[in-house]
């Protein structure tokens, strides 16, 4: 049974997604299709991440859910955008989940009788004629306001992942590189930086030794931003270098160096907190330079 909304039509039997006003269509992967079905069948309702998890992966599956869901949401938004300009239909509700924005669902003419179709079309035609006439009269009298909100319909939140930090020196780090990555993720989660979605680090583990890690995680996981760096033990103390990279080009967008004179590694939470305090201040400028203007809905592509 086809699912129709806002001019879109999705057929679960073959994964085809199209729009009545556009030529061509996209074929969705099964998991992306199940995400669309889940959101569309409960249109306008905020669905929690756990509920979406069960609908897509079922019970008993062990997957990196945060990373997987972020990639699926991004892929679905791109598909909607490509076939009908509706990327913003999939809305992120911070700390709650996702929803397919409510609107006037499209009607399937085949499900309406011929007499009903005529009855439906005639008022629409009359309304369109009247509206066109009114607009023609007012065209010379009114100055149309700038549709600043139009750009909001193309907002897609970027995703960020964090690599375990490299460790240099003779000291016993005690897995400090992994712990720092986890602490940074926790700090970012608490700060809720505008227009940013986080994914878990476990999905990045298979890529750590690859020379093309930036391109690989961008293509395979849909990662837009990568936080990486190193911990180094030196004669005078400790040094932490933290960098934010834009993917897939790997260009450095932001960096910070934190130094600690003591012979022992400072508390990981303190390092992470100080670094993310700085990033929180710099984030509006970083996101604007990388993605464009920011607003309450995220990053405008």
């Amino acid at each position: 049974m086809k699912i129709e909304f806002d001019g879109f039509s999705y057929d679960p039997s073959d994964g085809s997604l199209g729009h009545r006003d556009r030529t061509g269509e996209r074929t969705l992967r099964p998991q992306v299709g199940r995400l669309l079905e889940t959101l569309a069948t409960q249109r306008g309702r905020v669905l929690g991440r756990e509920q979406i998890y069960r609908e897509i992966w079922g019970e008993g599956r062990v997957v990196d859910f945060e990373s997987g869901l972020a990639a699926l949401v991004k892929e679905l938004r791109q598909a909607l955008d490509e076939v009908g300009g509706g990327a913003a239909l999939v809305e992120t509700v911070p700390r709650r989940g996702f929803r397919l924005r409510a609107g006037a669902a499209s009607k399937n003419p085949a499900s309406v009788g011929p007499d009903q179709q005529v009855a439906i079309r005639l008022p629409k035609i009359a309304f369109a004629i009247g509206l066109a006439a009114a607009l023609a009269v007012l065209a010379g009298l009114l100055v149309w306001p700038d549709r600043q909100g139009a750009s909001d319909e193309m907002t897609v939140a970027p995703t960020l992942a964090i690599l375990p930090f490299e460790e240099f020196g003779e000291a016993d780090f005690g897995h400090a590189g992994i712990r720092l990555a986890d602490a940074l993720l926790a700090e970012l989660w608490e700060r809720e930086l505008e227009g940013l979605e986080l994914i878990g680090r476990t999905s990045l583990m298979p890529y750590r030794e690859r020379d093309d890690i930036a391109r690989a995680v961008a293509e395979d996981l849909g990662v837009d931003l990568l936080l990486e760096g190193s911990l180094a033990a030196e004669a005078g103390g400790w040094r932490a270098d933290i960098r934010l990279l834009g993917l897939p080009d790997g260009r450095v967008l932001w960096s910070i160096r934190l130094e600690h004179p003591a012979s022992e590694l400072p508390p990981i939470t303190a390092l992470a907190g100080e670094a993310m305090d700085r990033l929180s201040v710099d984030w509006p400028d970083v996101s604007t330079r990388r993605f464009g203007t920011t607003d309450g809905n995220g990053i405008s592509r």
Side-chain angles (χ1 to χ4, degrees), residues 25 29 40 56 59 65 78 86 101-102 129 138 151 157 164 170 174 187 193 196 213 216 241 243 245 287 293 295:
E25 60 183 28
R29 295 191 297 113
I56 297 176
E59 301 288 352
F65 169 61
Q78 290 174 336
R101 290 181 175 178
I129 294 173
L138 295 174
S151 62
E170 301 296 331
E187 291 287 341
L193 296 188
L196 184 65
I213 183 172
D241 290 303
R243 297 175 294 275
L245 308 182
S287 61
T293 57
D295 58 29

Side-chain angles (χ1 to χ4, degrees), residues 72-119:
L72 292 183
V73 169
K74 181 177 180 178
E75 189 172 340
L76 177 57
R77 284 170 170 162
Q78 290 174 336
L80 290 169
D81 183 32
E82 290 178 11
V83 300
L89 280 172
V90 181
E91 179 184 8
T92 300
V93 181
R95 296 294 177 270
R96 294 185 61 193
F98 300 90
R99 69 179 162 200
L100 194 65
R101 290 181 175 178
S106 62
K107 300 295 183 180
N108 183 359
S111 64
V112 182
D115 295 338
Q116 291 174 300
Q117 291 183 35
V118 172

Side-chain angles (χ1 to χ4, degrees), residues 3-300:
I3 298 172
E4 298 187 345
F5 58 94
D6 289 355
F8 292 95
S9 177
Y10 173 65
D11 188 345
S13 65
D14 60 8
S16 60
L17 174 68
H19 193 278
R20 66 189 176 196
D21 297 328
R22 299 285 183 91
T23 58
E25 60 183 28
R26 276 283 305 270
T27 299
L28 302 184
R29 295 191 297 113
Q31 288 181 339
V32 181
R34 285 197 292 273
L35 173 60
L36 177 57
E37 288 184 69
T38 300
L39 295 172
T41 54
Q42 301 192 59
R43 186 77 183 278
R45 290 186 56 193
V46 179
L47 303 184
R49 294 170 182 267
E50 290 299 324
Q51 179 180 353
I52 296 175
Y53 174 92
R54 290 192 298 268
E55 294 291 340
I56 297 176
W57 285 282
E59 301 288 352
R61 292 288 302 278
V62 179
V63 298
D64 185 349
F65 169 61
E66 290 297 332
S67 175
L69 180 58
L72 292 183
V73 169
K74 181 177 180 178
E75 189 172 340
L76 177 57
R77 284 170 170 162
Q78 290 174 336
L80 290 169
D81 183 32
E82 290 178 11
V83 300
L89 280 172
V90 181
E91 179 184 8
T92 300
V93 181
R95 296 294 177 270
R96 294 185 61 193
F98 300 90
R99 69 179 162 200
L100 194 65
R101 290 181 175 178
S106 62
K107 300 295 183 180
N108 183 359
S111 64
V112 182
D115 295 338
Q116 291 174 300
Q117 291 183 35
V118 172
I120 291 172
R121 283 198 297 267
L122 287 177
K124 289 184 177 179
I125 294 173
F127 174 77
I129 294 173
L131 179 61
L135 292 178
V137 173
L138 295 174
L141 302 177
L142 297 178
V143 177
W144 291 100
D146 179 25
R147 294 183 62 192
Q148 182 177 358
S151 62
D152 293 344
E153 296 303 315
M154 295 298 292
T155 57
V156 180
T159 57
L160 179 146
I162 305 176
L163 281 177
F165 279 54
E166 299 290 338
E167 302 171 354
F168 299 100
E170 301 296 331
D172 181 8
F173 285 86
H175 304 293
I178 295 177
R179 292 190 289 119
L180 178 57
D182 288 343
L184 289 169
L185 185 63
E187 291 287 341
L188 281 173
W189 180 261
E190 290 296 326
R191 281 164 173 74
E192 300 184 17
L193 296 188
E194 185 180 56
L196 184 65
E197 292 186 0
L198 306 175
I199 67 173
R201 66 171 174 82
T202 55
S203 289
L204 278 72
M205 295 299 289
Y207 299 89
R208 287 190 63 189
E209 305 302 325
R210 293 183 57 164
D211 295 332
D212 61 343
I213 183 172
R215 181 192 60 78
V217 298
E219 292 181 357
D220 296 351
L221 304 179
V223 176
D224 300 294
L225 300 167
L226 191 66
L227 202 62
E228 63 158 24
S230 62
L231 286 170
E234 301 176 332
W238 291 82
R239 185 183 76 246
D241 290 303
I242 304 173
R243 297 175 294 275
L244 180 66
L245 308 182
L247 300 184
D249 56 1
R251 183 166 60 90
V252 177
L253 304 175
W254 176 89
S255 67
I256 185 175
R257 170 171 290 182
L258 303 176
E259 296 180 320
H260 192 69
S263 59
E264 295 183 356
L265 181 68
I268 293 295
T269 53
L271 280 176
E274 183 178 354
M276 293 305 95
D277 283 343
R278 290 280 297 275
L279 180 57
S280 297
V281 173
D282 297 338
W283 174 247
D285 179 62
V286 172
S287 61
T288 299
R289 284 189 287 108
R290 178 64 179 181
F291 301 107
T293 57
T294 61
D295 58 29
N297 293 322
I299 302 299
S300 181

